[in-house]
């Protein structure tokens, strides 16, 4: 079989013409059903009934702490590890039921990149990219024309003859990506591919993956322990904890309304869901004579641009004092979480929460702050 002829990737076979639009089709190209993996019955399951659906063209982040089962999950997706029970199908083929040459053939649809690049040090960059084509028995003429296109795709044409020892970490990962794309896979699995790289190089590699996703419509599953990686490129995210899916959904929704403590803690450096301890320790659970309500407001989408704070002042006569907050862009949409002391809001609280909700914002009473001596009615106004 000529593996180059079954291509959805006109971009690689012809002259870098976009093959598909960015839109995901909604059809799952990867499906895991109730995957369980037990290596050692004494230590219990490493994956515990994990189900996952990844739509074609999607960039799907899988995040979890070290030992959560992420690498085991991706190895089940590409057939390197057989699940103890449950099924995996990729591009319509049930990977978990295959072995031998049928598995090898199915695995051409599933490419992988790794944290430590796994390049052969004795081969040049071009020869590393050519390797999967040679193993698949692709003819030499095709390899000769195809390898330069792959190097061009990752922006490393100039390094064709360099050996891995002559390349930077980011360049090695680019070669890893070119090699992964050589057989025109349907999905690309990335296991901590940016974890060994500095932040700036990480961003460049993530940009490259996003570009490849756009240009080729390639589905990408991205394993990471860094929420910022998810924020930068994933449209969907699944959170794994002790081998279980604790949360899964559109990245924006998970970032705006995380349901699990583990997702919240991963988000701590990105979204200001939790107050710093210095602030939270000072809040009281119930109102008192000298307290003001503390509100947490989640701003999403268009409402992030509404003058909410001004309305609190003008319409409700509240003096807001911002304690903590941050606005950022997640999957291209603004998301802000702000916690403020709403001085003077106590009698109007239900009206304020109704106003926030009428804008489609999430407002929540998180506690009560003791008014400082200088605050309140007697405070001089400037
Ligand atoms: N081949 C194996 N044999 C036995 N235990 C394993 C094997 N691979 C992984 N594990 C165990 O499974 C758990 C999850 O590992 P892994 O999937 O590598 O997690 P992660 O990639 O999230 O750090 C760990 O406790 C690890 O020790
Ligand atoms: Mg791992």
């Amino acid at each position: 079989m000529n593996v180059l002829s079954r291509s959805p990737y006109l971009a690689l076979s012809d002259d870098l013409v976009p093959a598909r639009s960015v839109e995901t089709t909604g059809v799952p190209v990867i499906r895991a059903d109730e995957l369980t993996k037990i290596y050692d019955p004494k230590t219990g399951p490493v994956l515990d009934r994990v189900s996952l659906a990844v739509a074609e063209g999607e960039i799907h982040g899988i995040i979890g702490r070290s030992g959560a089962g992420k690498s085991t999950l991706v190895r089940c997706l590409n057939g390197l590890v057989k699940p103890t029970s449950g099924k995996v199908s990729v591009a319509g083929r049930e990977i978990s039921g295959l072995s031998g040459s049928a598995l090898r053939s199915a695995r051409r649809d599933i490419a992988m990149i790794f944290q430590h690049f796994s390049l052969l040090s004795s081969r040049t960059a071009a020869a590393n990219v050519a390797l999967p084509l040679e193993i698949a028995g692709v003819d030499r003429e095709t390899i000769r024309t195809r390898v330069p296109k792959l190097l061009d795709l990752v922006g490393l044409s100039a390094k064709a003859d360099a050996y891995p020892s002559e390349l930077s970490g980011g360049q090695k990962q680019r070669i890893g990506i070119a090699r992964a794309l050589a057989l025109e896979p349907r999905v690309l699995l990335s296991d901590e591919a940016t974890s060994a790289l500095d932040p700036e190089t990480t961003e460049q590699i993530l940009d490259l993956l996003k570009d490849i996703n756009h240009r080729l419509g390639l589905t990408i599953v991205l394993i990471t322990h860094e929420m910022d990686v998810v924020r930068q490129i994933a449209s969907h995210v699944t959170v794994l904890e002790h081998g279980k899916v604790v949360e899964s959904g559109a990245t924006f929704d998970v970032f705006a309304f995380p349901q699990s403590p583990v997702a919240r803690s991963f988000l701590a450096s990105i979204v200001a869901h939790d107050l710093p301890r210095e602030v939270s320790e000072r809040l009281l659970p119930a109102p008192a004579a000298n307290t003001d309500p503390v509100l947490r407001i989640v701003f999403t989408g268009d409402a992030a641009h509404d003058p909410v704070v001004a309305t609190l002042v003008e319409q409700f006569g509240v003096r807001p004092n911002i304690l903590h907050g941050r606005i950022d862009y997640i999957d291209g949409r603004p998301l802000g979480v702000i916690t403020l002391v709403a001085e003077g809001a106590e009698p109007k609280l239900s009206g304020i929460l109704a106003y926030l909700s009428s804008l489609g914002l999430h407002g929540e009473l998180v506690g009560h702050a003791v008014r400082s001596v200088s605050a309140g009615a007697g405070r001089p106004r400037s």
Side-chain angles (χ1 to χ4, degrees):
M1 179 183 68
N2 176 3
V3 294
L4 301 178
S5 65
R6 66 196 167 101
S7 163
Y9 285 48
L10 298 172
L12 288 180
S13 305
D14 297 314
D15 284 322
L16 295 170
V17 177
R20 283 186 243 160
S21 76
V22 184
E23 299 298 313
T24 64
T25 60
V27 178
V29 65
I30 300 175
R31 253 204 121 89
D33 284 311
E34 298 270 312
L35 276 190
T36 292
K37 179 65 189 178
I38 299 172
Y39 287 112
D40 176 356
K42 289 195 288 281
T43 54
V46 166
L47 294 178
D48 191 356
R49 287 164 293 153
V50 169
S51 294
L52 186 71
V54 179
E56 178 136 50
E58 181 173 304
I59 301 185
H60 194 111
I62 294 180
I63 187 160
R65 298 194 177 104
S66 175
K70 306 180 297 293
S71 292
T72 303
L73 175 58
V74 274
R75 290 196 194 112
C76 286
L77 297 183
N78 75 358
L80 277 176
V81 163
K82 275 235 174 300
T84 308
S85 62
K87 283 194 298 196
V88 174
S89 66
V90 175
R93 274 196 279 201
E94 197 188 317
I95 300 294
S96 39
L98 298 178
S99 56
S101 64
L103 177 60
R104 279 195 297 281
S105 150
R107 283 181 57 195
R108 282 186 186 164
D109 279 335
I110 312 163
M112 192 142 165
I113 53 175
F114 308 90
Q115 180 173 0
H116 296 297
F117 325 121
S118 313
L119 301 180
L120 292 181
S121 59
S122 60
R123 281 184 163 232
T124 62
N128 267 287
V129 175
L131 190 62
L133 294 161
E134 291 169 14
I135 292 171
V138 173
D139 64 274
R140 279 171 62 182
E141 183 52 29
T142 308
I143 294 176
R144 213 177 52 77
T145 56
R146 184 153 176 71
V147 168
K149 284 181 183 166
L150 288 158
L151 289 171
D152 183 48
L153 186 71
V154 299
L156 275 190
S157 300
K159 296 287 181 186
D161 298 324
Y163 285 88
S165 61
E166 300 167 312
L167 300 174
S168 70
Q171 290 170 335
K172 284 183 213 172
Q173 194 56 284
R174 284 171 191 271
I175 298 299
I177 292 168
R179 180 186 56 187
L181 298 179
L183 290 172
E184 304 188 326
R186 291 285 299 279
V187 308
L188 177 65
L189 308 178
S190 163
D191 192 354
E192 305 273 8
T194 59
S195 297
L197 304 175
D198 60 72
E200 200 180 324
T201 311
T202 292
E203 202 168 315
Q204 289 165 3
I205 294 293
L206 294 177
D207 283 346
L208 174 63
L209 291 176
K210 205 167 173 175
D211 183 52
I212 287 168
N213 165 260
H214 279 221
R215 283 160 72 173
L216 307 181
L218 184 67
T219 308
I220 299 178
V221 176
L222 199 88
I223 300 281
T224 181
H225 63 275
E226 290 171 285
M227 213 43 145
D228 204 45
V229 167
V230 172
R231 181 186 72 79
Q232 287 184 59
I233 70 167
S235 59
H236 291 76
V237 60
T238 292
V239 185
L240 265 193
E241 166 94 321
H242 304 308
K244 286 193 171 73
V245 172
V246 292
E247 198 147 346
S248 190
T251 301
F252 189 88
D253 297 342
V254 171
F255 275 52
F257 303 107
Q259 305 295 312
S260 61
V262 59
R264 254 181 118 96
S265 83
F266 273 123
L267 286 168
S269 62
I270 301 180
V271 190
H273 282 300
D274 293 320
L275 287 172
R277 199 148 50 103
E278 290 82 346
V279 175
S280 63
E281 275 174 350
R282 297 206 317 262
L283 300 187
L284 304 178
N290 60 341
T291 64
D292 285 303
V294 176
L295 299 178
R296 198 171 75 92
I297 305 173
V298 182
F299 297 78
T300 51
D302 297 337
H305 304 297
D306 274 329
V308 171
V309 173
T311 305
L312 289 181
V313 176
E314 288 162 11
Q315 196 174 322
F316 293 96
V318 165
R319 279 196 297 272
N321 171 19
I322 291 173
L323 291 178
H324 188 55
R326 178 163 173 169
I327 296 179
D328 215 328
Y329 279 75
I330 313 297
D331 203 17
R333 291 164 66 193
L335 170 67
V337 181
I338 286 177
T339 302
L340 48 83
V341 182
E343 202 187 299
E346 189 63 52
K348 309 156 198 161
L349 208 50
S350 58
I352 290 171
L353 293 174
Y355 156 70
L356 293 174
S357 145
S358 75
L359 290 179
L361 301 181
H362 174 85
E364 188 186 353
L365 178 67
V366 294
H368 303 267
V370 177
R371 207 168 291 164
S372 61
V373 183
S374 65
R379 187 171 60 177
R381 303 239 186 149
S382 51

